[in-house]
């Protein structure tokens, strides 16, 4: 395996050895993970990407070799020859794959010495993330981190194999392309040979994959790098990776079916998790909002939203009645058993929590055996209280949490509140995988600042056939042929059936305020292509980083990206972005005043 190093050639990786190799002469190489000197005998835990192997240096066999082993320190890189021997029964280590054997060293080469690392190279090390990212090359030596990238490798290989079998061609699309509006700021690249003009790094391959359908390739896929200049969070990075797909002559069901098959195959072959043969739950957007307050609902637990607007619309409690009268709603969640679990201080903290989502506050009722504890029941009639308790299926010990406001605020507040309560109750099991498809998203949303309709996804998303009639009269009623796949409250991917009719595309542009001139300027090359025969087509993209994050049980995509950025989009390890020489700026016709 590989070329010889100082006369030695590696015969095995560390954890490739087991009881079957006893008696064999082997050559292994790696890092010194731990060193234990027991006086006359030195034990070295040798580590490489496969795992850990115990190596023994015995002074009774070779004092020179023993003396050399005494100089070893953690993270030295070494190569050694030796014989695989069986451990004594009382020294077997069942925690590691090689725990039944050890190697009696007969030759040692020190390939590289090492300073004391600034972070611990050990599994699940509790090290400050800033330090981990500054020394990322050391952080990546940790076995648990390496497992994340073994998983990532397997998933990307499975993706290529699965889509190949299903008739997809992997085709690369440009990294340097024209800037087009896709919902986030572009990263711009100045052109040296075209002064004052800029390329943009792709936010997605959207337009090019549609052009590939026009080109007749029928089914396209790509493991695609994408770039968005937007604020970062745990599941968002300025550069990220998509499993990107497009298909011709398909409807929504066709796209969902082939991609659901991919998800089931990946989970079975990498995690041995059987997601079953039944289709994933399909949930229209409005149902998801009404039941969970979110278009990416976490369905691992209940605590669903309940609409109480009809019960309290004429209530003496002004907050409730006014919300309904002003076109909003009153909704509640039943936190089962939480009246017994949460102290008054914890309930007050929930009130403050919903305020971060623009709610003015949170009303609540604690249901006890023979009474109700609440500041609002005195404003409600006995009939209203009973109807509320009946609708939310209240039992003694339950905590009923209410929000009354505009629908968006109610959805956001209660949707986040149910997640917060679930976190406090430890209901979010990382080893439980609950998938669903959210469908029938609104095609448009109204921008109050600009006083116009805007596309919820992108302007090439097709409306549902039965809703085309509302385009001219009531755009807010138009649903899209769009779909997102959601896992445990995280959007894993999404897509849509595209518009392939020139007339419908022109109407779409008019509705969102894009003139013919603007359309030609922004999307001219695509619209020109559409004149020459365009098949019906649709597709989607999976967020590969998010998929791996959830499969690995991590809470941040930084743990599954080899060299990620931090909150301000900088790299702590390489110090990017950085200043450049004035000569480089001059060549690009750029002047910096910073």
């Amino acid at each position: 395996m590989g070329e010889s190093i100082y006369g030695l050639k590696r015969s095995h990786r560390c954890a490739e050895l087991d009881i079957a190799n006893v008696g064999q002469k082997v050559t292994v190489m790696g890092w010194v993970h731990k060193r234990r000197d027991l006086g006359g005998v030195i034990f070295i835990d040798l580590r490489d990407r496969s795992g850990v192997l115990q190596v023994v240096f015995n002074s009774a066999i070779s004092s020179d070799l023993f003396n050399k082993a005494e100089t070893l320190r953690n993270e030295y890189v070494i190569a050694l020859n030796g014989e695989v021997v069986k451990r004594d029964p009382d020294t077997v280590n069942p925690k590691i794959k090689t725990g039944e054997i050890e190697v009696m060293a007969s030759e040692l080469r020190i390939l590289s010495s090492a300073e004391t690392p600034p972070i611990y190279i050990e599994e699940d090390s509790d090290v400050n993330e800033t330090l981990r990212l500054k020394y990322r090359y050391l952080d990546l030596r940790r076995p648990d981190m390496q497992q994340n990238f073994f998983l990532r490798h397997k998933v990307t290989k499975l993706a290529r194999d699965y889509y190949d079998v299903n008739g997809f061609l992997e085709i690369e699309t440009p990294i340097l392309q024209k800037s087009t509006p896709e919902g986030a700021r572009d990263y711009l690249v100045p052109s040296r040979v075209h002064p004052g003009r800029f390329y943009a790094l792709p936010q997605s391959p959207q337009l090019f994959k549609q052009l590939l359908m026009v080109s007749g390739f029928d089914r396209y896929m790509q493991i695609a790098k994408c770039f968005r200049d937007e604020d970062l969070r745990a599941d968002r990075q300025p550069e990220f990776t998509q499993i990107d797909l497009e298909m011709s002559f398909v409807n929504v069901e066709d796209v969902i079916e082939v991609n659901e098959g991919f998800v089931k195959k990946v989970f079975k072959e990498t995690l041995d998790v059987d997601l079953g043969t039944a289709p994933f739950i399909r949930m229209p957007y409005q149902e998801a909002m009404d039941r969970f307050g979110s278009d990416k609902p976490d369905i691992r637990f209940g605590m669903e939203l309940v609409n109480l607007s009809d019960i309290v619309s004429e209530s003496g409690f002004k907050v409730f009645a006014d919300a309904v009268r002003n076109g909003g709603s009153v909704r509640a969640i039943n936190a089962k058993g939480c009246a017994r679990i949460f102290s008054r201080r914890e309930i007050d903290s929930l009130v403050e929590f919903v305020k971060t989502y623009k709610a003015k506050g949170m009303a609540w009722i604690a249901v006890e055996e023979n009474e109700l504890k609440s500041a609002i029941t005195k404003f409600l009639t006995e009939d209203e209280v009973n109807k509320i308790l009946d609708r939310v299926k209240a039992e003694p010990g339950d905590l009923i949490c209410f929000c009354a406001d505009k629908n968006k605020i109610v959805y956001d507040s209660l949707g986040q509140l149910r997640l917060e309560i679930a976190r406090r109750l430890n209901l979010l099991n990382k080893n439980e995988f609950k998938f669903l498809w959210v469908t029938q998203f609104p095609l448009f949303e109204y921008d109050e600042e600009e006083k116009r309709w805007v596309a919820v996804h992108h302007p090439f998303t097709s409306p549902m056939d039965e809703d085309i009639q509302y385009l001219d009269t009531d755009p807010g009623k138009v649903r899209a042929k769009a779909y997102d796949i959601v896992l445990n409250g995280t959007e894993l991917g999404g897509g849509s059936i595209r518009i392939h009719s020139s007339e419908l595309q022109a109407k779409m542009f008019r509705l969102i305020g894009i003139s013919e001139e603007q359309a030609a300027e922004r999307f001219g090359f695509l619209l020109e292509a559409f004149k020459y025969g365009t098949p019906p087509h649709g597709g989607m993209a999976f967020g590969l980083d998010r998929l791996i994050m959830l499969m690995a049980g991590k809470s941040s995509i930084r743990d599954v990206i080899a060299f990620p950025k931090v909150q301000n989009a900088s790299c702590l390890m390489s110090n990017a972005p950085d200043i450049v020489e004035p000569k480089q700026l001059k060549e690009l016709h750029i002047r910096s005043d910073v």
Side-chain angles (χ1 to χ4, degrees), residues 549-570:
M549 175 186 75
L550 292 173
M551 294 179 73
K554 302 299 178 182
S555 56
S556 169
I557 61 172
R558 289 190 292 273
D559 284 334
V560 299
I561 296 174
F563 301 103
K565 306 293 190 292
V566 293
Q567 191 69 27
N568 64 1
S570 66

Side-chain angles (χ1 to χ4, degrees), residues 7-22:
L8 296 180
K9 183 176 180 180
R10 183 167 66 171
S11 64
H12 299 81
R13 290 195 175 92
C14 291
E16 290 174 349
L17 298 170
D18 58 26
I19 200 74
N21 299 105
V22 169

Side-chain angles (χ1 to χ4, degrees), residues 323-389:
V324 179
R325 191 175 300 116
N326 294 328
S329 62
V330 180
R331 299 172 194 263
I333 59 174
N334 182 354
K336 302 296 291 182
C338 286
R340 295 193 180 107
I341 298 171
F342 291 161
S343 66
R344 178 59 189 268
R345 177 177 292 183
E346 287 176 296
I347 294 174
D348 288 342
S349 73
L350 296 178
V351 175
E352 294 305 310
F353 176 84
V354 299
K355 289 180 180 178
T356 62
Y357 296 93
K358 298 185 179 180
K360 299 181 183 70
M362 182 192 86
W364 54 271
I365 296 175
V367 183
E368 299 192 349
E369 284 292 347
N370 300 310
E371 65 173 328
L372 302 177
K373 284 190 176 179
S374 176
I376 69 167
T377 51
K378 61 186 176 184
F379 300 107
L380 301 169
T381 67
E382 183 178 350
D383 183 55
E384 288 169 341
V385 171
N386 288 335
K387 285 180 177 178
I388 289 171
L389 297 179

